[in-house]
């Protein structure tokens, strides 16, 4: 299963970076000189990147086509890799910026904002699925009560990782929420680890430590790999963490470099040169490579080295879109319709598309199924955004604007 970002993934994680809300002006926070040492660009690199929003739209389109017409895009699940990397990048740069501005990170405020961003819309989806299961005979929603319980506490990925054979029906109606579990478990652990690194070590050591952490999941996958461990590797947070950490590594690296640093020019040049090839390779994988099927040696390579390789491609794209907003790819992805959908609807599209697929399949819809899925999913995403997500996002921003300015990190 692939995921749109809650963002990572996937979901629009960048929403929490807004400094102001409607009718609320955020008071300036004092800069902590000691905290800012080593991260001179952290605060300046917190604005929206419209190209990333457009990339979300591109990726969520792959997700929908993959689930409706898997023969057309057998490798469309690669979109989850892209979303994980985006999520790791956005979350990390926001955390570092808060540390630099305030001299600490309010972890409870961070977790509260994550809850307001993700959970209300997810609970609404779970409620609808349970209602359909209890009031209709639609086979696509059988077992929704158990699936909803697992999804609501972000444990779908854990259950799927423990199933050695074919996936059971335990999570089927909401199986796509496995990636939300991966991201939420990462969000629970990574801020703690990052805060520890920021408070104990210099910026260079933080960067090297993040890079080292990117390698550990690869080594762990190599230890775990057998064909029977495919579900364990595909759904595990520990085995997919390098894709989120790749985005985190980009955020740490860019926060360390001043605008006049020659290394930044080098990154800007090479990320721009490699952006189109990276996007082309990701598209080729989506088009030609059935990453969730058993293909012998190729599958072993994919489930070990391939996951990190795709994370590197995704990180290259993220770097180029951040540093080169004026180039052709950035301007294409930043087109208003693409950026608006990615910014506001990507999470809702991801949440609703898979239940819509199951609904149409239960009703026996064959002709025009892809078009029907797109239309109905967009309608549900719009309803979710305006009726649920937007009001809760406003509450999160108000709380962020009015919250106390901590002198040190709080847990």
């Amino acid at each position: 299963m692939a995921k749109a970002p809650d963002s990572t993934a996937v979901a629009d994680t960048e929403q929490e970076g807004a400094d102001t809300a409607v009718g609320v002006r955020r008071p300036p926070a004092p800069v902590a000189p000691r905290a800012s040492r080593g991260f001179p660009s952290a605060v300046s690199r917190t604005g929206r990147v419209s190209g990333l929003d457009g990339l979300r739209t591109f990726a969520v389109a792959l997700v929908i086509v993959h689930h409706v017409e898997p023969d057309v895009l057998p490798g469309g699940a690669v979109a989850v890799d892209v979303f994980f990397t985006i999520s790791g990048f956005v979350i990390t740069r926001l955390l570092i910026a808060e540390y630099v501005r305030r001299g600490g990170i309010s972890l409870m405020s961070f977790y509260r904002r994550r809850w307001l961003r993700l959970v209300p819309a997810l609970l609404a989806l779970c409620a609808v699925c349970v209602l359909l299961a209890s009031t209709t005979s639609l086979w696509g929603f059988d077992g929704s009560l158990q699936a909803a319980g697992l999804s609501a506490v972000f444990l779908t990925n854990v259950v799927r990782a423990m199933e050695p054979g074919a996936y059971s029906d335990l999570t089927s109606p909401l199986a796509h929420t496995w990636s939300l579990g991966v991201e939420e478990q990462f969000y629970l652990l990574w801020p703690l680890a990052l805060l520890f690194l920021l408070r104990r070590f210099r910026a260079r050591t933080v960067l090297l430590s993040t890079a080292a952490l990117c390698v550990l999941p690869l080594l762990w996958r190599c230890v775990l790999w057998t064909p029977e461990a495919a579900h364990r590797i595909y759904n595990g947070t520990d085995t997919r963490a390098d894709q989120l950490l790749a985005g985190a590594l980009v955020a740490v690296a860019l926060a360390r470099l001043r605008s006049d640093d020659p290394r930044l020019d080098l990154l800007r040049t090479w990320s721009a040169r490699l952006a189109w090839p990276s996007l082309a390779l990701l598209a080729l994988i989506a088009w030609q490579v059935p990453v969730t099927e058993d293909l012998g040696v190729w599958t072993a390579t994919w489930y070990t080295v391939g996951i990190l390789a795709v994370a590197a491609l995704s990180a290259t794209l993220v770097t180029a879109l951040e540093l080169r907003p004026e180039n052709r790819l950035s301007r294409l992805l930043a087109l208003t319709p693409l950026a608006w959908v990615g910014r506001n609807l990507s999470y809702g599209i991801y949440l609703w598309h898979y239940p819509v697929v199951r609904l149409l399949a239960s009703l026996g819809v064959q002709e025009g199924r892809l078009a029907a899925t797109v239309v109905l999913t967009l309608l549900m995403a719009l309803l979710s955004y305006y009726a649920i997500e937007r009001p809760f996002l406003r509450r999160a921003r108000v709380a962020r604007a009015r919250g106390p300015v901590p002198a040190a990190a709080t847990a």
Side-chain angles (χ1 to χ4, degrees), residues 114-125 347 388-389 392:
R114 289 290 82 213
W115 192 96
L116 290 172
R117 177 67 187 99
L118 301 176
V119 177
L122 175 62
L123 292 180
L125 171 70
Y347 182 49
I388 303 173
E389 296 171 55
F392 278 96

Side-chain angles (χ1 to χ4, degrees), residues 74-76 78 280-291 298 302 310 313:
V78 75
L281 284 173
L282 290 171
L284 182 63
I285 292 170
W287 179 37
Q288 290 290 325
V289 182
V291 297
W298 163 252
W302 177 263
V310 171
L313 295 175

Side-chain angles (χ1 to χ4, degrees), residues 179-199:
S179 53
L180 292 182
V182 171
E183 286 202 0
E184 285 309 293
Q185 290 152 24
F186 178 82
Y187 293 160
L188 181 65
L189 299 175
W190 173 238
L192 293 169
L194 180 62
L195 179 59
F196 174 81
L197 292 172
L198 290 172
R199 298 187 68 179

Side-chain angles (χ1 to χ4, degrees), residues 19-91:
D19 284 339
T20 59
V22 177
V24 177
R25 184 176 297 277
R26 184 190 179 109
V31 175
R34 181 181 177 186
S36 63
R37 189 183 306 158
F39 296 102
S41 299
V43 175
S44 62
R45 295 192 181 280
T46 55
R48 290 208 73 86
V49 181
S50 295
L52 286 181
D53 292 329
L55 183 60
R56 290 185 175 108
T57 302
F58 174 75
V60 78
L62 296 183
V63 173
I64 294 177
V65 175
H66 172 66
H67 282 155
V68 178
E69 301 288 352
D71 292 337
V72 176
L73 288 179
V78 75
V80 74
D81 306 70
V82 178
F83 284 128
F84 282 162
T85 302
I86 293 174
S87 296
F89 169 72
V90 173
I91 287 297

